[in-house]
Amino acid sequence: GENVEQHPSTLSVQEGDSAVIKCTYSDSASNYFPWYKQELGKRPQLIIDIRSNVGEKKDQRIAVTLNKTAKHFSLHITETQPEDSAVYFCAASRESNYQLIWGAGTKLIIKP
Amino acid sequence: DAGITQSPRYKITETGRQVTLMCHQTWSHSYMFWYRQDLGHGLRLIYYSAAADITDKGEVPDGYVVSRSKTENFPLTLESATRSQTSVYFCASTGGAEQYFGPGTRLTVT
């Protein structure tokens, strides 16, 4: 079946540095790519998403890039802060059915 | 986020008992989903629904039953609970692409 691979599983960065999380998807018909943040004991919440007609999208300190040819997309967080510590999930779907295929998650640790 | 709720938030039950987890959304979203998240792991889709009276299996449907008689409600029933069904269960809904998650139900099967 279709799948999404996410790397790394754990990422530890110094506060103020940048963090990059990468995902690769298998379904070439996927056209919607969201990123969710899940803090400990909380529900997942959307932080940014991108559609296949766009190569890059930014929102303050976070950005997502998409390479449709290579079928991969990445989350970039700049100037990391303690509140960025969480688990981040990437996902992919066809907007025709809204069924998300999820990556396994990346635990981001911000070291003070 | 206040538009999607789950009940109960915590539940302890015994092996073999039937348990129903409730999910209610106030946005009239067409699509609703049930996921389970085991400790330290990602989200696995159990069932989803495209509209009232339309449901379909996800990745891990065995042991679960769903129904959707009304757009706003999507209950999940564990017919005969097993210890392997101990997990956190999230309901989600979408009217476009972004999925909005409920607060989750922490289920323990003893």
Side-chain angles (χ1 to χ4, degrees), chain A residues 4 25 27 29-34 50 52 73 91-102, chain B residues 96-99:
Chain A
V4 173
Y25 60 97
D27 182 5
S30 295
N31 54 11
Y32 175 66
F33 308 91
I50 192 168
S52 58
F73 57 112
S93 78
R94 306 180 184 189
E95 285 198 272
S96 57
N97 67 16
Y98 302 132
Q99 186 177 340
L100 292 172
I101 308 299
W102 295 84
Chain B
E98 177 180 357
Q99 289 191 15

Side-chain angles (χ1 to χ4, degrees), chain A:
Chain A
E2 308 299 348
N3 73 308
V4 173
E5 293 187 0
Q6 182 172 347
H7 299 282
S9 57
T10 304
L11 178 60
S12 183
V13 302
Q14 206 70 37
E15 182 179 348
D17 288 350
S18 295
V20 180
I21 303 170
K22 299 181 178 181
C23 289
T24 303
Y25 60 97
S26 62
D27 182 5
S28 57
S30 295
N31 54 11
Y32 175 66
F33 308 91
W35 286 89
Y36 282 77
K37 175 183 180 181
Q38 186 178 30
E39 297 176 352
L40 190 62
K42 304 289 187 181
R43 73 190 83 184
Q45 292 192 300
L46 181 75
I47 56 171
I48 196 167
D49 57 12
I50 192 168
R51 288 172 170 80
S52 58
N53 58 345
V54 176
E56 183 176 5
K57 184 177 178 180
K58 291 182 179 180
D59 183 2
Q60 300 183 336
R61 296 187 298 106
I62 60 174
V64 57
T65 59
L66 172 65
N67 182 329
K68 283 217 72 178
T69 302
K71 291 194 286 187
H72 68 235
F73 57 112
S74 300
L75 177 70
H76 304 252
I77 305 174
T78 59
E79 301 174 2
T80 53
Q81 301 170 3
E83 53 265 36
D84 295 330
S85 292
V87 177
Y88 292 81
F89 292 98
C90 64
S93 78
R94 306 180 184 189
E95 285 198 272
S96 57
N97 67 16
Y98 302 132
Q99 186 177 340
L100 292 172
I101 308 299
W102 295 84
T106 296
K107 183 176 183 178
L108 178 61
I109 301 167
I110 307 300
K111 297 181 290 186

